[in-house]
């Protein structure tokens, strides 16, 4: 009976491994987030995709004039990062925000906005073209609404948090319905089963 | 055009609070906006105009969603007179 149990566990692990590998191949084929971007962080320093390699990243696209969704999603993302910080032995996660409203969200505006959330939360902005390219690389939908008489407007956009692995591949993405606890649990699972995709 | 700064965290919280008070008033008065004038004005003064529009739409959506959940979906042709 013990041998059968051990064999079953082995087979199940093999199956899980195969599923994970297949999923990784699918993700890589999807090529989400591949392709370089050129953006600047809140201190004006140029940043490219290479700067993200070697770390786990939780990435959210939003804008500072956002009425409710972006602060909520950022709180959630940062709460997930905090939960993960409490687990011994896990590598740190880099929380990252990329604006979809570069016309208003310059480095200074981003810095002011992100300060409220998590000390390690970084932000990226750029020219309209640079931001459009970065959002496009992640298939993030962006559409600025019509401005009102004093020039204010909201930006409609996909609400997604992406998990990037140290090899730069998008490993998962999370929508509005996931809680901080679910995010942390999922990220932890990815970290613990992490295998870099063979080149 | 002059660029307005985004609301700070305190301003966001104040706006959401005013919105919630207004919505609570509507909830307890069967959505009769006439009964909640004062809170409506407070809400409009605390939030950027774009946010007021956004939250108005959100409330309509939430009510519609609730209606679907409780009454089920009635296709327009079958609904008859509203």
């Amino acid at each position: 009976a013990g041998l059968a149990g051990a064999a079953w566990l082995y087979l199940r692990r093999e199956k899980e491994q195969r599923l994970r590998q297949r999923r990784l191949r699918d993700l890589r084929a999807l090529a989400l987030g591949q392709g370089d971007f050129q953006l600047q962080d809140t201190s004006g320093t140029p940043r490219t995709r290479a700067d993200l390699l070697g770390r786990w990243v939780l990435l959210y696209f939003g804008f500072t004039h956002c009425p409710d969704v972006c602060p909520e999603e950022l709180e959630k993302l940062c709460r997930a990062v905090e939960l993960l910080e409490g687990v011994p032995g896990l590598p740190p996660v880099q929380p990252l925000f990329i604006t979809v409203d570069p016309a208003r969200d310059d480095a200074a505006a981003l810095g002011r906005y992100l300060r409220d959330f998590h000390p390690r939360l970084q932000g990226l902005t750029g020219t309209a073209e640079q931001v459009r390219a970065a959002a496009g690389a992640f298939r993030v939908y962006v559409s600025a609404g019509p401005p009102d008489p004093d020039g204010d407007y909201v930006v409609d956009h996909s609400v997604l948090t992406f998990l990037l692995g140290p090899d730069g591949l998008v490993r998962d993405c999370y929508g509005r319905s996931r809680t901080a606890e679910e995010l942390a649990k999922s990220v932890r699972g990815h970290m613990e089963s992490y295998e870099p995709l063979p080149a | 055009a002059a660029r307005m700064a985004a609301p700070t965290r305190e301003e966001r919280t104040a706006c959401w609070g005013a919105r919630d008070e207004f919505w609570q008033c509507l909830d307890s008065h069967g959505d009769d906006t006439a009964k909640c004038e004062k809170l409506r004005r407070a809400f409009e003064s605390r939030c950027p105009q774009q946010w007021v529009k956004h939250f108005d739409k959100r409330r309509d959506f939430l009510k519609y969603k609730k209606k679907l959940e409780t009454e089920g979906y009635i296709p327009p042709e079958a609904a008859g007179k509203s």
Side-chain angles (χ1 to χ4, degrees), chain A residues 87-158:
Chain A
V87 180
L90 287 186
V93 177
Q94 175 61 58
L96 183 61
F97 179 92
I98 298 182
T99 183
V100 296
D101 186 13
R104 289 184 296 189
D105 293 347
D106 58 12
L110 266 192
R112 275 193 306 269
Y113 183 74
L114 298 177
R115 247 192 336 237
D116 289 332
F117 294 98
H118 189 284
R120 292 190 299 106
L121 174 60
Q122 285 182 14
L124 298 177
T125 183
T127 65
E129 195 46 58
Q130 288 168 337
V131 164
R132 198 173 11 245
F138 286 87
R139 317 272 178 88
V140 168
Y141 164 78
V142 177
S143 176
D148 62 20
D150 51 20
D152 197 7
Y153 56 90
V154 290
V155 181
D156 195 18
H157 62 91
S158 321

Side-chain angles (χ1 to χ4, degrees), chain A residues 19 21 33 41 71 92 95 107 116 135 143-144 162 164 170 179-181 186 197:
Chain A
L19 284 173
Q21 287 288 10
D41 67 19
D116 289 332
S143 176
F162 297 95
L164 277 62
V170 171
T179 65
E181 290 72 21
S186 172
L197 203 62

Side-chain angles (χ1 to χ4, degrees), chain B residues 24-53:
Chain B
Q24 272 159 32
C25 177
L26 287 180
D27 287 343
S28 49
H29 290 98
D31 289 335
D32 185 352
T33 47
K35 296 247 160 58
C36 304
E37 269 296 329
K38 197 162 160 213
L39 288 172
R40 172 74 189 180
R41 278 199 297 275
F43 166 48
E44 285 175 355
S45 74
R46 283 246 176 313
C47 300
Q49 199 183 3
Q50 285 283 306
W51 291 24
V52 171
K53 283 190 205 151

Side-chain angles (χ1 to χ4, degrees), chain A residues 1-12:
Chain A
L3 197 60
W8 180 79
L9 273 174
Y10 173 78
L11 286 173
R12 191 176 80 163

